[in-house]
Amino acid sequence: MILETTVIVIYSIALLMIFLYALAQLNLLINYLSSKKAKVDCETFDLSNPDETPHVTIQLPVYNEMYVMERLLDNIAEIDYPNDKLEIQVLDDSTDETVEYTRAHIEKLQATGLDIQHITRTNRIGFKAGALKEGLKIAKGEFIAIFDSDFLPKKDWLRQTIPHFKDKNIGVVQTRWGHINRNYSILTRIQAFALDAHFTLEQVGRNSKGHFINFNGTAGVWRKTCIIDAGNWEGDTLTEDLDLSYRAQLKNWKFKYLEDVQTPAELPIVISAARSQQFRWNKGGAENFRKMLWRVLKNPNISTKTKVHGLLHLLNSTMFLNIFIVGVLSIPMLYIKNEYAHLKPYFFAMSFFVISTVIFFICYWHMYKNIYGNGLKNFIGYIGMFFVFFSIAMGFSLHNSIAVIEGHLGKKSEFVRTPKFNISRFKDNWKNNKYIKGAISKHVVFEGLLMLYFGFGMYSAFIVGNQGGDFGLFPFHLMLFIGFGYVFFKSITSKV
């Protein structure tokens, strides 16, 4: 009975953690909906007045971006802002032939009168954080806009963001990510679904009540003095953006999130690219929880509610570990339930936690209808998308749980970039992309075994008990089977 008790305790704790996270999401939804009713006017810079127009530096941290560099540079060159108040830094850590291509293209843009500089380093210390810190030393701007290589800001982007810095307490203005290839595949659709939830419910829900949010690494602007005051960029975690965001807000800098300003970008289209991005984000989140936990708890200047939301925010990636635990233990729990009749009251109480799924369903529907619209047809489409999203997200849970465990244990790893593809130009020739990894992830074998394991879970529903089976967990095991099956077969059949 010791083994059964251990399984029950661990399973219950994981379920409780998921439920608490669901409640936090529900609170963010309430905040989000209330923010729509409260319109706040604030004083802004008048950019038609040269004396009030601040100097801005755009930083473009890049590393071996052969397929998108030309598109990136041409797009940034079109930004509408006074030339005498704009500087562009291309922070190029590339180690291949793109260095020369980039240098030649920059020289052409310089000939047009654009203040654009090509900055290279002899080492990659600190990776992206190190490049940003190096560029900051010589940046002319009072404000630092940052774009990753796959982002395509619109011409008026600076005119929509910079005016908000008239409030001297604002250290960051962050914009919402758009997705230029949202409908390319199931993989891009589920990534867009997850990011849309973050950039609506979570960012607005937190920011509207003064809780901590994060600069998302790109498509945002920093006040230079805020970066320096917060301790500058540090490369000791894989998510340097989350790290600096918390250090800045712990020093009472305010962040402004602009949901209505959308910055288009390209989502990863192969599963190996999505894997590397997911691993970095989830491990970095755990690393920052480890780094920021006591700083948040001990800070006397923030409310208890902000501390709770902050800690749950930093624990976002750890939800994958809880989901993985619940999934793996759910099959033993099925047998325990039908073996020990005296535990029926416990299992009846545990069924309450199905409400977590209901909460997620309600929260994400509000995000979905904001993008696609209301109505029965869209709602039916949403039901299908919700099912597919949760299935595939659970299929990534082993991979992401390993990232989370490494982060919490303090195991260091290199910053692995996400390869870019420029689908609009190269279309189906993306398979020739030189940056795609050739090796299959070592986790794929285990994902295949987990697919079979949850297939056994579905089979178990028919054979347990004396009443013709127990199908309470069948839908859950079906989603896990589909999710791990998708990740497994996509990994072994794609060029990954």
Side-chain angles (χ1 to χ4, degrees):
M1 190 63 187
I2 295 176
L3 179 61
E4 289 89 340
T5 302
T6 303
V7 169
I8 290 171
V9 169
I10 295 173
Y11 182 82
S12 301
I13 291 171
L15 268 182
L16 180 61
M17 290 299 296
I18 294 170
F19 180 63
L20 291 175
Y21 181 71
L23 290 179
Q25 292 292 104
L26 182 60
N27 181 249
L28 292 178
L29 173 61
I30 294 168
N31 294 348
Y32 178 81
L33 295 176
S34 65
S35 74
K36 298 302 176 184
K37 301 173 185 176
K39 295 296 180 182
V40 180
D41 294 323
C42 58
E43 192 178 4
T44 58
F45 284 126
D46 178 10
L47 297 187
S48 65
N49 179 359
D51 296 331
E52 204 169 321
T53 303
H55 207 125
V56 176
T57 295
I58 296 177
Q59 291 187 323
L60 308 175
V62 298
Y63 173 67
N64 295 351
E65 308 288 6
M66 173 184 293
Y67 303 98
V68 295
M69 278 309 302
E70 183 178 343
R71 181 183 72 178
L72 170 68
L73 294 173
D74 288 344
N75 184 83
I76 294 298
E78 293 296 317
I79 291 284
D80 178 23
Y81 204 77
N83 272 4
D84 61 329
K85 297 290 182 72
L86 179 64
E87 171 194 40
I88 301 168
Q89 292 181 336
V90 182
L91 307 174
D92 192 355
D93 278 357
S94 298
T95 56
D96 64 6
E97 64 270 30
T98 56
V99 175
E100 293 307 317
Y101 298 153
T102 299
R103 179 176 289 112
H105 202 83
I106 286 173
E107 288 173 356
K108 291 179 183 177
L109 294 175
Q110 287 172 335
T112 68
L114 193 65
D115 183 1
I116 180 170
Q117 306 301 321
H118 190 208
I119 300 171
T120 59
R121 299 192 294 166
T122 55
N123 59 64
R124 291 189 66 216
I125 293 175
F127 304 105
K128 180 180 176 180
L132 294 170
K133 187 174 182 179
E134 194 74 19
L136 194 69
K137 293 177 182 177
I138 56 173
K140 302 173 188 174
E142 302 169 55
F143 302 101
I144 312 295
I146 301 171
F147 298 104
D148 283 347
S149 61
D150 51 337
F151 278 73
L152 301 169
K154 297 174 183 176
K155 290 183 179 182
D156 63 349
W157 194 90
L158 288 178
R159 295 190 177 276
Q160 290 182 293
T161 54
I162 294 299
H164 295 279
F165 283 103
K166 182 121 187 204
D167 180 345
K168 295 185 182 298
N169 294 313
I170 291 179
V172 172
V173 171
Q174 174 67 52
T175 65
R176 175 181 171 181
W177 293 5
H179 317 293
I180 59 178
N181 61 332
R182 172 193 296 273
N183 295 315
Y184 182 82
S185 66
I186 291 176
L187 183 63
T188 57
R189 283 196 288 272
I190 64 112
Q191 289 176 88
F193 188 92
L195 287 168
D196 289 341
H198 170 69
F199 281 100
T200 53
L201 297 179
E202 295 183 357
Q203 290 288 64
V204 176
R206 293 190 183 104
N207 193 227
S208 64
K209 297 299 182 182
H211 304 321
F212 287 8
I213 66 168
N214 59 299
F215 167 66
N216 293 105
T218 177
V221 192
W222 283 83
R223 189 186 296 270
K224 186 177 180 180
T225 52
C226 173
I227 297 175
I228 295 168
D229 181 56
N232 216 321
W233 296 103
E234 295 178 358
D236 58 342
T237 73
L238 292 178
T239 46
E240 72 294 321
D241 45 5
L242 180 60
D243 172 26
L244 185 58
S245 296
Y246 266 67
R247 285 188 279 121
Q249 287 166 109
L250 285 168
K251 298 204 77 171
N252 295 324
W253 286 99
K254 304 301 180 187
F255 281 32
K256 179 80 173 179
Y257 177 65
L258 304 178
E259 183 187 8
D260 295 332
V261 180
Q262 192 171 143
T263 310
E266 187 173 276
L267 295 160
I269 62 168
V270 295
I271 202 162
S272 62
R275 277 181 181 276
S276 64
Q277 187 177 73
Q278 287 283 311
F279 195 90
R280 187 174 71 248
W281 287 353
N282 286 290
K283 182 171 181 176
E287 287 175 327
N288 273 290
F289 175 80
R290 177 187 172 98
K291 181 174 181 176
M292 293 295 167
L293 172 62
W294 294 112
R295 301 191 201 187
V296 172
L297 289 177
K298 292 179 180 179
N299 192 295
N301 300 318
I302 54 179
S303 69
T304 300
K305 194 168 184 179
T306 294
K307 288 180 181 181
V308 170
H309 271 290
L311 294 181
L312 288 171
H313 183 196
L314 293 170
L315 280 171
N316 264 357
S317 60
T318 305
M319 287 304 114
F320 279 106
L321 180 58
N322 290 310
I323 290 167
F324 183 69
I325 290 170
V326 168
V328 169
L329 295 185
S330 63
I331 296 177
M333 289 293 287
L334 183 63
Y335 283 89
I336 292 170
K337 175 185 177 183
N338 286 278
E339 182 72 21
Y340 299 97
H342 66 283
L343 292 177
K344 282 188 177 179
Y346 162 79
F347 285 100
F348 180 77
M350 284 297 100
S351 65
F352 168 78
F353 287 101
V354 75
I355 199 171
S356 298
T357 304
V358 175
I359 291 172
F360 289 128
F361 184 87
I362 293 170
C363 289
Y364 290 170
W365 164 240
H366 282 275
M367 169 273 294
Y368 190 89
K369 73 178 182 179
N370 279 352
I371 296 169
Y372 295 98
N374 220 328
L376 180 61
K377 182 179 179 181
N378 284 330
F379 183 69
I380 292 171
Y382 167 71
I383 293 172
M385 191 67 233
F386 182 84
F387 177 85
V388 171
F389 165 72
F390 263 80
S391 297
I392 296 176
M394 289 191 293
F396 274 100
S397 63
L398 169 65
H399 179 78
N400 291 343
S401 292
I402 292 169
V404 167
I405 291 169
E406 286 189 6
H408 284 304
L409 293 178
K411 180 181 178 181
K412 296 299 180 183
S413 56
E414 282 197 0
F415 185 104
V416 179
R417 63 182 287 278
T418 305
K420 314 301 188 303
F421 296 90
N422 197 352
I423 289 300
S424 59
R425 177 177 175 183
F426 293 99
K427 297 181 181 177
D428 292 330
N429 293 327
W430 61 263
K431 291 185 179 180
N432 297 319
N433 188 304
K434 63 181 284 187
Y435 304 124
I436 301 177
K437 290 181 180 179
I440 294 176
S441 168
K442 60 185 178 182
H443 304 150
V444 169
V445 173
F446 296 101
E447 287 160 348
L449 291 174
L450 283 164
M451 175 191 68
L452 298 177
Y453 177 69
F454 292 114
F456 171 74
M458 290 189 291
Y459 167 74
S460 297
F462 292 90
I463 63 172
V464 295
N466 300 314
Q467 304 295 325
D470 183 341
F471 294 90
L473 288 172
F474 188 89
F476 183 49
H477 292 153
L478 174 62
M479 292 174 72
L480 285 160
F481 176 79
I482 291 171
F484 278 104
Y486 174 86
V487 172
F488 173 71
F489 284 110
K490 195 73 175 174
S491 296
I492 62 175
T493 58
S494 300
K495 182 181 176 182
V496 294

